Amino acid sequence: MTLFETLKDRCRDEWQAYTRHEFVTALGAGALPLAVFRDYLVQDFHFLVQFARANALAAYKSRTLADITAAHAATGAILAETELHLRLTERWGIPRPELEAAAEKQATVAYTRYVLDAGMAGDVLDLHVALAPCTIGYAEIGAHLAPRLDEYGGDGDGGGGGHPYGEWIAEYSGPEFTAASRAAIEQLDVLAGGGLTDRRLDELTDVFRTATRLEIDFWQQALDSVL
């Protein structure tokens, strides 16, 4: 198995709770309240800003040109992802100055600063493992939700058809994000080298499990915003 598959298997309950969270299920069904989605988009914009910083940190901590190039590509993918958020928030009446001025909520701060701390305190592999639930998990979620677009007349060419959140699903199930996810999986194996000791694998499992739990909290934060 790849390192990602090993970590995912070791954290099976947390991974299931993350990728099949109530937020994800309701979004896929088109039943997620718009107020919840709007709150999520604002916080996810700030989330991505911090994750761009984390990938820049990965470039700094890398020791080979290949690893620096991979971190640069990942940063570019995140910056491209922010364009989706800017399109969606503007369409729903949230101008960019308001988006950028919005305060980061507790779960946003907890998750993003954990990732940055994992990278500062550990090595570049620790950092990539902390990033993995986002960079790889969203592609898995997108692939799982993509069939729902057909129920709303998806056009089969990257559009969401009549699904209220079709553009979001199309983005994360699309070829660019899927390719970025595969690259992240491959990069984990490259960084792991010839193998890991049991102790090192346990350390990385703790990082992966914590980051996955923080992803769960991030979904829940959006749901709680309407309470």
Side-chain angles (χ1 to χ4, degrees), residues 9 59 85 91 118 130 157 183 190 192 201 215:
D9 186 64
H85 291 69
R91 184 177 306 154
D157 190 29
V190 169
L201 184 56
E215 281 279 13

Side-chain angles (χ1 to χ4, degrees), residues 61-72:
K61 301 203 77 166
S62 296
R63 295 183 177 273
T64 69
L65 181 59
D67 290 345
I68 294 171
T69 301
H72 174 73

Side-chain angles (χ1 to χ4, degrees), residues 62-139:
S62 296
R63 295 183 177 273
T64 69
L65 181 59
D67 290 345
I68 294 171
T69 301
H72 174 73
T75 304
I78 289 175
L79 294 176
E81 189 180 345
T82 61
E83 293 302 315
L84 171 68
H85 291 69
L86 293 173
R87 290 196 307 271
L88 293 179
T89 52
E90 183 177 359
R91 184 177 306 154
W92 284 320
I94 307 173
R96 184 164 182 169
E98 181 180 335
L99 179 67
E100 293 180 338
E104 292 179 86
K105 292 187 174 182
Q106 183 174 345
T108 310
V109 173
Y111 187 8
T112 58
R113 283 14 174 233
Y114 173 76
V115 171
L116 286 165
D117 183 67
M120 292 295 293
D123 61 18
V124 70
L125 179 55
D126 290 282
L127 178 54
H128 278 279
V129 167
L131 289 164
C134 177
T135 55
I136 303 170
Y138 266 53

Side-chain angles (χ1 to χ4, degrees), residues 130-205:
L131 289 164
C134 177
T135 55
I136 303 170
Y138 266 53
E140 182 174 314
I141 290 168
H144 175 70
L145 296 182
R148 303 303 297 265
L149 297 181
D150 295 335
E151 302 171 16
Y152 286 82
D155 58 21
D157 190 29
H163 194 295
Y165 305 117
E167 191 172 359
W168 189 96
I169 296 173
E171 174 84 5
Y172 292 112
S173 61
E176 291 184 1
F177 201 86
T178 300
S181 171
R182 289 173 180 163
I185 292 172
E186 293 170 2
Q187 182 68 2
L188 286 176
D189 287 338
V190 169
L191 293 171
L196 301 167
T197 64
D198 289 344
R199 179 178 178 180
R200 182 63 172 135
L201 184 56
D202 286 343
E203 291 173 349
L204 294 174
T205 299

Side-chain angles (χ1 to χ4, degrees), residues 11-36:
C11 305
R12 191 176 306 167
D13 291 344
E14 291 87 355
W15 192 259
Q16 180 75 11
Y18 159 45
T19 60
R20 300 297 186 268
H21 193 276
E22 180 185 352
F23 179 100
V24 175
T25 301
L27 186 150
L32 188 70
L34 180 57
V36 171

